[in-house]
Amino acid sequence: QVQLVESGGRLVRAGDSLRLSCAASEPTFDAYAMGWFRQAPGKDREFVASISWDGDHTIYADSAKGRFSISRDNAKHTMYLQMNSLKPADSATYYCAADRQSGVVVSIPDYWGQGTQVTVSS
């Protein structure tokens, strides 16, 4: 069964850094665009960042620009989200996703991970 498994979420303080990981269960994900989304309690799930299959093209939400960095290591079938200068507003469950219809940008994900919780205290 195809799976995406996130890890790395935890409680941190404002200003801290954190790196999330998303491990894919199959090498086929290496050909897919992948991305990160997040959902805070009572809010809709929102886009955070996207990366092309080869890592050459990245897109960020305005809230992530300049603070977050998305990357991937296809040799390890793993995607990352480096988050710096974290704010309480970044607190959410973070989900990784993959779009098998696109190798460039995540549009409508076909696969989702189970989520990892990030909590930023003030």
Side-chain angles (χ1 to χ4, degrees):
Q1 185 176 356
V2 174
Q3 285 187 325
L4 297 173
V5 180
E6 303 97 333
S7 62
R10 62 183 177 91
L11 173 64
V12 296
R13 294 182 177 180
D16 284 353
S17 297
L18 195 61
R19 190 177 81 159
L20 306 182
S21 299
C22 172
S25 61
E26 298 185 0
T28 50
F29 282 97
D30 299 347
Y32 302 162
M34 297 186 70
W36 290 95
F37 293 74
R38 68 186 184 185
Q39 186 169 20
K43 295 187 177 181
D44 292 334
R45 189 172 298 188
E46 64 177 8
F47 169 79
V48 176
S50 174
I51 188 167
S52 60
W53 72 274
D54 57 2
D56 283 352
H57 301 281
T58 58
I59 299 174
Y60 295 93
D62 287 344
S63 59
K65 287 179 182 177
R67 299 188 301 125
F68 294 2
S69 178
I70 189 171
S71 62
R72 65 192 296 166
D73 183 344
N74 285 343
K76 297 181 179 180
H77 317 309
T78 301
M79 176 181 64
Y80 305 97
L81 184 68
Q82 177 67 42
M83 303 186 292
N84 300 325
S85 302
L86 282 163
K87 307 173 182 179
D90 295 317
S91 297
T93 300
Y94 283 71
Y95 299 89
C96 68
D99 186 341
R100 66 180 179 181
Q101 305 299 325
S102 173
V104 179
V105 60
V106 172
S107 178
I108 302 176
D110 298 287
Y111 303 100
W112 292 93
Q114 84 289 349
T116 186
Q117 180 67 41
V118 174
T119 304
V120 184
S121 64
S122 58

